[in-house]
Amino acid sequence: MVESEIEVYKVWPTQYDRELFINLMTMSRKELRAKYPDYFYATRDRIYEYKWIPNLIGAYGYFFDRIRYAVETDDLDDEFAEDADAAADDPPAELDVVVAESKEREIKLDAIWQALVEEFKVVEIVLEEGDDAQVIFETLNERGEPLLAADLVRNNIFHRADAAGEKAEQLFAKHWKPFEDPFWSIEEKQGRYKKPRIEFFLSNYIAGQIAGEVNLSKLFSEYKAFIKPKGVARFVSVADEIQALAGMSSVYREVVERSSGSALAKFSARLLPWDVKTVYPLAMRLWDSSEMSAQDKADCLDALISFVVRRAVCGLTTKNYNKFFLMV
C-alpha cells in the first residue's frame, strides 16, 4: 500500500463518521464501552437500539448481538454459563455435555466466518479514460437501494470539488459537516411527502432562489438543473456553492426551531397553527436579502402573516399558495 493508513480501509464513510468508524474497526468491546458509555446499557453488555445513537455504532451493535446469539445459544439464552458452573461439581458426564456445546459453538462461529469469506462478493469496476465515476455511480444506484436525494447532492458536490482541484475535505469540514447533524435527518411530513428535514430544506432553498416550483420526488435532478441553468454554472466555484447552502441552512434552521427570538423565528411560531409551509421559500429569501434593513424584513414578515391569517379567517382557500408566494 502506498498510503497504508488510508488504504487499509477500502471503503470510507463521510468525514463526519470517520473517527467512530476507525474506533469500531480497531478498539476492543471494552475500549468501545469506555469511550462511548452513553451508547451502552449500564448493566448489560448491549448497545442501545434507540434512533438517536449514530448509525454506525447501531449497526455494529445489531450484528454483534445477532452473531453472539447465533454462536452462543441454541434457544438456551444464558444457560451456558449456568451449565458450566454446575459442571464444576457434577460427574464427568455433565462436563462432556458442556464441552460438546462448546464445540458446537465453535462450528457455528466457523460457519459464519466461512460465509463471510466465501459468500461475500466484491465488485471491481475499472474505469477507462474519459469515464465519469459519478455518472456510473448514479446509474448503478438506480438499480439498487435508492439513496436519499441529499446523499446524491452531497456526493455530486464533492465529486465536482475533487475534479476542480478544490480541497474537498476542507470544504466538508468547514461548510458541509453541520448537515451531518441529526437535526437534518429527522423525518417530517409536508403535504403527501414524508422525508428527512434536509430534503425539505433543499427544495425550499432551490424554490426561493429560482422563484419557481420544485418537484420533491426529483430533487436531485432539480438541484443539478439549479446549479447549472441552461448549461451555465450558477456559482463561480464549488466552495461558493457550499457556502451559499450553509448560509441558507442557518436561516431554515431558524424557521424550523423558532427559538432564537428573531423576527423570523417569531414569524414562524405565529405561522405554525395555520400550517402554511409553502411560504417558507419566500420568507427565507427575504431574511437572507442583503438589500433590506432588519426593520424592512420584519415588516415584510408581518405583512405575510397578516395575509395568511386574514384569508383563513375569511374562509378563503390556501390552494395555489405554492405558486403565489413564489411570484411575489
Side-chain angles (χ1 to χ4, degrees):
M1 292 183 287
V2 177
E3 298 180 80
S4 59
E5 290 186 359
I6 296 176
E7 295 179 41
V8 67
Y9 303 117
K10 303 306 179 185
V11 178
W12 283 94
T14 63
Q15 285 90 338
Y16 185 82
D17 289 321
R18 286 191 180 179
E19 181 183 355
L20 176 56
F21 173 74
I22 293 172
N23 289 337
L24 289 172
M25 294 296 103
T26 59
M27 286 183 171
S28 67
R29 182 83 168 183
K30 184 177 180 181
E31 290 171 327
L32 284 171
R33 189 183 188 104
K35 183 162 185 178
Y36 301 102
D38 292 341
Y39 301 148
F40 285 80
Y41 284 97
T43 58
R44 299 166 57 191
D45 183 23
R46 190 173 179 184
I47 292 171
Y48 286 119
E49 295 182 357
Y50 298 151
K51 291 184 178 181
W52 58 265
I53 70 172
N55 288 335
L56 276 178
I57 201 164
Y60 160 77
Y62 174 87
F63 286 108
F64 185 97
D65 289 342
R66 269 56 183 183
I67 292 172
R68 179 167 59 183
Y69 181 83
V71 172
E72 294 184 354
T73 68
D74 185 19
D75 296 325
L76 299 175
D77 296 323
D78 295 324
E79 293 179 12
F80 177 72
E82 297 173 6
D83 290 345
D85 291 337
D89 300 318
D90 286 347
E94 295 293 332
L95 182 59
D96 290 342
V97 172
V98 173
V99 171
E101 290 177 351
S102 178
K103 289 182 178 179
E104 181 182 351
R105 292 179 178 91
E106 290 180 12
I107 293 171
K108 289 179 180 179
L109 185 59
D110 184 64
I112 292 173
W113 172 252
Q114 290 299 320
L116 286 172
V117 171
E118 296 178 4
E119 303 299 329
F120 188 79
K121 305 299 182 184
V122 177
V123 177
E124 179 182 13
I125 300 175
V126 180
L127 303 184
E128 298 180 356
E129 187 176 354
D131 289 340
D132 190 323
Q134 182 67 19
V135 172
I136 293 173
F137 165 76
E138 291 167 9
T139 303
L140 290 173
N141 184 65
E142 289 179 357
R143 290 161 173 75
E145 182 67 21
L147 289 176
L148 295 175
D151 293 328
L152 293 171
V153 168
R154 180 197 61 214
N155 293 346
N156 179 268
I157 286 173
F158 290 103
H159 170 72
R160 288 185 285 107
D162 281 330
E166 300 186 52
K167 297 178 180 179
E169 289 200 7
Q170 291 183 14
L171 290 175
F172 182 98
K174 187 174 182 180
H175 300 297
W176 188 271
K177 191 173 182 179
F179 286 115
E180 303 293 322
D181 188 283
F183 169 86
W184 294 104
S185 61
I186 294 173
E187 284 200 338
E188 291 189 342
K189 191 173 186 304
Q190 292 187 21
R192 68 179 187 277
Y193 293 106
K194 186 177 182 181
K195 291 181 176 291
R197 197 174 266 164
I198 189 172
E199 303 216 351
F200 289 119
F201 158 68
L202 288 171
S203 65
N204 281 303
Y205 167 66
I206 297 170
Q209 297 301 304
I210 66 174
E213 291 186 88
V214 171
N215 186 338
L216 196 55
S217 62
K218 297 181 179 179
L219 184 57
F220 181 46
S221 297
E222 294 276 14
Y223 186 82
K224 289 194 293 185
F226 161 69
I227 60 172
K228 205 169 184 180
K230 298 181 180 179
V232 180
R234 182 181 294 271
F235 299 96
V236 175
S237 66
V238 178
D240 290 340
E241 177 186 340
I242 303 178
Q243 287 178 44
L245 271 171
M248 193 61 82
S249 71
S250 62
V251 176
Y252 186 78
R253 188 158 187 161
E254 200 166 357
V255 169
V256 172
E257 292 182 325
R258 310 177 185 91
S259 59
S260 68
S262 69
L264 180 62
K266 293 176 181 177
F267 162 80
S268 184
R270 294 165 67 191
L271 183 69
L272 188 60
W274 309 101
D275 194 26
V276 182
K277 295 179 180 177
T278 48
V279 74
Y280 281 2
L282 175 57
M284 290 165 61
R285 189 175 50 158
L286 280 170
W287 196 252
D288 190 55
S289 173
S290 59
E291 300 176 359
M292 300 174 64
S293 68
Q295 186 58 53
D296 286 342
K297 293 177 184 180
D299 290 343
C300 286
L301 293 174
D302 284 343
L304 279 175
I305 193 67
S306 176
F307 174 83
V308 170
V309 173
R310 287 172 183 270
R311 283 183 58 86
V313 170
C314 293
L316 299 175
T317 179
T318 60
K319 185 178 179 181
N320 293 326
Y321 268 10
N322 55 330
K323 295 179 181 179
F324 174 76
F325 287 126
L326 292 173
M327 293 168 54
V328 177

